Amino acid sequence: MHSQTEVHLKTGGIVPPVAQQLHRENIQRIVEETLSASSISLCDLSAIATTIKPGLALSLGVGLSFSLQLVNQFKKPFIPIHHMEAHALTIRLTNKVEFPFLVLLISGGHCLLALVRGVSDFLLLGKSLDIAPGDMLDKVARRLSLIKHPECSTMSGGKAIEHLAKQGNRFHFTINPPMQNAKNCDFSFTGLQHVTDKLIKHKEKEEGVEQGQILSSAADIAAAVQHTTACHLAKRTHRAILFCKQKKLLPPTNAVLVVSGGVASNLYIRRALEIVANETQCTLLCPPPRLCTDNGIMIAWNGIERLRAGLGILHDVEGIRYEPKCPLGVDISKEVAEAAIKVPQLKIQFDL
């Protein structure tokens, strides 16, 4: 019903106090408009579902205190939602997907691979050891000053990189994927960002360009960074599929790989993951872009899934707190690393 993206673009990214203020100013009106648009009154609701973890503390606080007011006023059951669980289950709103399936969640704030065995039953196979891919792409876009590029001025950093990369040559610069010798399913994007920063600095010197001006090689750098990101995500996902099949955690045929989160809307990255899915006889599914980025629909859907399964429905909200940091499911990443699965080389080469 409402998005804060435009404001965040102007501030060059999400500034937590700004996000909190926007939440405060809009939450009541949006709830009223949503109920009015669906011709449902608060009394008709079966329950109230709200994200309580993980996320920006200031924003989580606004959502939780507003929800608890409604819960107490209208005597409704409360369903606390794990933000990552909601991303993982969104695909079941749009497609008929049975458990178990593998999910890769890639966004501005998160990066993880998990096996989804049930509504609240997750095995964590790997996660980013530092920053998330969306955050890294945003930082590279900022370093390249893409906001000043006439074609990219209204785009988020990740979108600007994807747009510009189409005009660039991904092989003009060689940027090696991170963690090539680590036989696990963890990710890392900080090194990639530092290598790219160095490359940009070198090109600015070479081209005699001040920082803050657009490099003539910006499109080639964007293409190289995007390609390396896609290869890194593809290789770790490939290993996760092989591990799950080896341990009989996924069916040998027609297994499903779900890719969700904001970065899942990048078509180049999606194409690289499609190559992995085809190679491993998996079906790749992605929610539509509007349901890939953070949205209220996925939280409501997660509430429905939990309501149907009878999981985590609270009739007493005493002592409920939000948690800015919170893992997802049972972490078996050590077991994945011990299996040390060698991933066959795949040619991630295609034209969009």
Side-chain angles (χ1 to χ4, degrees):
M1 298 290 284
H2 181 84
S3 170
Q4 299 176 177
T5 309
E6 271 181 40
V7 180
H8 295 318
L9 270 177
K10 287 186 187 120
T11 55
I14 294 172
V15 179
V18 174
Q20 179 190 40
Q21 190 52 35
L22 290 167
H23 277 47
R24 276 207 188 111
E25 286 168 11
N26 294 294
I27 193 163
Q28 175 126 21
R29 175 182 62 80
I30 290 161
V31 169
E32 285 166 4
E33 282 178 16
T34 306
L35 290 164
S36 149
S38 53
S39 310
I40 289 172
S41 79
L42 272 158
C43 302
D44 300 329
L45 296 177
S46 311
I48 290 171
T50 305
T51 312
I52 68 154
K53 60 189 175 186
L56 294 174
L58 297 177
S59 300
L60 290 172
V62 175
L64 182 57
S65 61
F66 185 82
S67 303
L68 294 183
Q69 273 176 324
L70 296 181
V71 164
N72 291 323
Q73 191 183 339
F74 292 91
K75 304 286 175 274
K76 296 291 174 188
F78 181 63
I79 307 175
I81 299 293
H82 190 301
H83 180 89
M84 299 289 100
E85 181 181 301
H87 270 306
L89 297 177
T90 304
I91 198 70
R92 285 167 48 89
L93 170 63
T94 55
N95 300 66
K96 200 171 164 16
V97 179
E98 300 298 332
F99 300 117
F101 60 87
L102 186 68
V103 68
L104 170 68
L105 291 181
I106 38 176
S107 68
H110 302 280
C111 180
L112 61 86
L113 270 164
L115 184 75
V116 190
R117 299 194 296 186
V119 171
S120 68
D121 183 1
F122 291 77
L123 293 180
L124 184 68
L125 306 170
K127 63 181 189 303
S128 176
L129 303 175
D130 36 63
I131 61 174
D135 186 19
M136 182 271 298
L137 292 170
D138 283 348
K139 284 179 167 142
V140 170
R142 271 206 294 282
R143 185 63 186 80
L144 283 168
S145 305
L146 296 190
I147 197 93
K148 293 182 184 170
H149 196 289
E151 291 173 29
C152 305
S153 58
T154 59
M155 295 176 183
S156 68
K159 275 268 168 284
I161 293 279
E162 183 179 8
H163 176 78
L164 211 55
K166 288 185 186 131
Q167 303 161 26
N169 173 3
R170 63 181 178 266
F171 300 120
H172 192 91
F173 299 106
T174 303
I175 303 174
N176 293 322
M179 302 178 72
Q180 291 199 81
N181 299 322
K183 290 191 174 65
N184 56 29
C185 288
D186 288 327
F187 303 86
S188 169
F189 296 95
T190 303
L192 187 49
Q193 185 207 325
H194 291 328
V195 167
T196 310
D197 271 358
K198 264 174 133 159
L199 172 62
I200 294 167
K201 203 176 241 172
H202 174 71
K203 291 311 286 181
E204 282 169 346
K205 232 181 191 160
E206 203 176 90
E207 289 183 23
V209 163
E210 293 273 313
Q211 183 172 339
Q213 291 179 292
I214 306 282
L215 284 168
S216 65
S217 52
D220 291 340
I221 293 171
V225 170
Q226 179 178 258
H227 180 69
T228 306
T229 305
C231 290
H232 184 43
L233 291 167
K235 187 169 184 177
R236 312 324 262 183
T237 305
H238 194 168
R239 179 173 287 116
I241 295 169
L242 296 177
F243 173 82
C244 288
K245 289 196 171 186
Q246 184 181 308
K247 301 285 180 191
K248 302 194 169 30
L249 296 169
L250 276 175
T253 55
N254 299 329
V256 172
L257 166 66
V258 172
V259 184
S260 189
V263 179
S265 54
N266 179 305
L267 294 179
Y268 189 92
I269 288 171
R270 205 184 275 200
R271 185 74 189 88
L273 292 162
E274 219 167 80
I275 291 170
V276 170
N278 292 340
E279 179 69 22
T280 51
Q281 286 84 54
C282 285
T283 304
L284 174 71
L285 295 175
C286 303
R290 71 189 182 93
L291 296 180
C292 271
T293 43
D294 291 351
N295 63 87
I297 294 169
M298 72 180 193
I299 306 304
W301 172 252
N302 197 167
I304 291 171
E305 288 262 38
R306 282 183 162 264
L307 204 55
R308 283 178 181 163
L311 289 165
I313 303 148
L314 307 181
H315 296 278
D316 175 12
V317 290
E318 195 58 50
I320 191 99
R321 298 279 180 272
Y322 59 82
E323 299 171 55
K325 283 195 163 33
C326 176
L328 178 70
V330 177
D331 188 343
I332 62 160
S333 55
K334 278 199 173 71
E335 207 183 306
V336 178
E338 280 159 13
I341 290 170
K342 199 169 170 358
V343 176
Q345 276 292 154
L346 282 191
K347 262 210 168 336
I348 307 278
Q349 278 191 14
F350 49 85
D351 293 301
L352 279 177

